[in-house]
Amino acid sequence: MDGRRIVLQMKYARIISRLAARLGLSIEKAMEIFYGSATFQLIEKGIADLHARSEIYLVDELILELSAAKNQSNACR
C-alpha cells in the first residue's frame, strides 16, 4: 500500500469516527453510511480535491447527503 492510500485510510477512519459521534451511531453503521456515500466516491475519484478538506467539512457533507436522501425518499411516498 502506498503512502497516499495509507493517509486516505487514516482520514477515512477519522471521518467515520466523527460521523458516528455526531449522529450517535455505532462505528459499523457509520462505516456503512460512509462507504456507501456519494461523498466517498468523489473522494476516491479525486474530484474537487475533497481528500484535502477537513474531516469536519466532510462529515458535514455526509450529513447533508443523508438529509437530501431522506427528503427525496419522503417526497417519493
Side-chain angles (χ1 to χ4, degrees):
M1 188 179 285
D2 66 27
R4 182 179 183 279
R5 176 58 49 194
I6 291 169
V7 170
L8 267 178
Q9 291 298 324
M10 292 169 57
K11 185 174 197 89
Y12 294 164
R14 292 188 302 271
I15 291 167
I16 291 164
S17 178
R18 285 182 183 273
L19 182 64
R22 284 266 306 268
L23 299 179
L25 303 171
S26 68
I27 292 294
E28 292 79 12
K29 182 63 178 172
M31 285 176 65
E32 180 183 316
I33 291 168
F34 176 67
Y35 287 115
S37 71
T39 301
F40 169 72
Q41 295 301 319
L42 294 172
I43 296 169
E44 280 289 292
K45 291 178 183 176
I47 305 296
D49 290 331
L50 284 177
H51 65 280
R53 303 287 180 150
S54 73
E55 288 87 19
I56 294 168
Y57 175 88
L58 293 168
V59 168
D60 287 344
E61 287 298 307
L62 286 163
I63 291 170
L64 287 172
E65 184 180 333
L66 286 171
S67 179
K70 183 178 178 182
N71 289 339
Q72 185 177 26
S73 174
N74 288 340
C76 291
R77 292 181 186 179

